[in-house]
Amino acid sequence: MRRAVCPGSFDPVTNGHLDIVGRASRLFDEVIVGVLVNQSKSGLFTVEERIDMLREVTASYGNVRVESFRGLLVDFCRAQRASVLIKGLRAVSDFDYELQMAQMNIGLAGVETLFMPTNPLYSFLSSSLIKDVAKWGGDISAHVPDRVGAELRARLAPPPRD
């Protein structure tokens, strides 16, 4: 079975993330969305909330499952019996960082990294940018699934305008 991992923090998941997961699901028998548990950072959404949202928005893919992990990504890949990572690239700056990680992962555990260029519609998207726009009451509906948009609006009520 060809199994791949799409890792990230997904705080929150965007349509750009879903584009990569969906495309990966057509290339592999199974895709595991690995949600990083980073105890040194507090996200907007808890890991459990992120997993719940991801499971809902990836439910239409019969070969995608969502799991959390902590520690080294290669250890998670071993535990999931996945030898491939899928990473979306938005820009050259993403490549510089991701190449170093890919080289470390192949050296540590023989885990290959496949880079997938982001659909140009989503090349500027990041979870941080989405949170910022939502915080100020901007329209994020074209950039996140409906469920995620509703959760963001509920969590980030914009401050009153002067």
Side-chain angles (χ1 to χ4, degrees):
M1 174 179 278
R2 294 174 307 148
R3 186 175 289 139
V5 169
C6 286
S9 58
F10 305 101
D11 187 36
V13 62
T14 69
N15 289 343
H17 293 129
L18 292 178
D19 176 60
I20 297 296
V21 170
R23 289 162 56 202
S25 76
R26 294 191 302 269
L27 299 173
F28 291 88
D29 299 317
E30 184 178 31
V31 174
I32 302 131
V33 176
V35 180
L36 173 64
V37 176
N38 186 344
Q39 293 168 326
S40 66
K41 284 187 179 179
S42 63
L44 178 62
F45 295 102
T46 68
V47 171
E48 294 76 19
E49 290 170 325
R50 288 182 260 158
I51 289 171
D52 184 54
M53 284 188 276
L54 275 159
R55 285 183 176 153
E56 181 178 319
V57 300
T58 61
S60 63
Y61 302 113
N63 63 337
V64 172
R65 68 183 160 93
V66 181
E67 305 289 340
S68 66
F69 74 97
R70 59 177 31 94
L72 290 176
L73 178 54
V74 293
D75 291 339
F76 177 71
C77 289
R78 277 191 203 122
Q80 300 299 317
R81 297 186 337 267
S83 59
V84 176
L85 290 168
I86 304 292
K87 301 292 288 199
L89 296 178
R90 295 172 293 190
V92 172
S93 57
D94 287 347
F95 180 74
D96 289 341
Y97 173 76
E98 294 296 346
L99 179 62
Q100 292 175 9
M101 297 302 295
Q103 291 169 331
M104 181 60 77
N105 291 336
I106 192 80
L108 284 174
V111 175
E112 293 287 355
T113 301
L114 298 182
F115 297 122
M116 191 173 285
T118 301
N119 181 320
L121 292 172
Y122 310 119
S123 63
F124 64 92
L125 275 185
S126 71
S127 295
S128 299
L129 181 59
I130 291 297
K131 287 185 281 195
D132 230 17
V133 171
K135 178 174 124 184
W136 295 103
D139 182 10
I140 55 168
S141 60
H143 308 300
V144 296
D146 291 342
R147 159 86 190 275
V148 175
E151 297 281 349
L152 281 165
R153 284 188 295 279
R155 185 78 44 106
L156 296 172
R161 295 182 189 222
D162 295 335

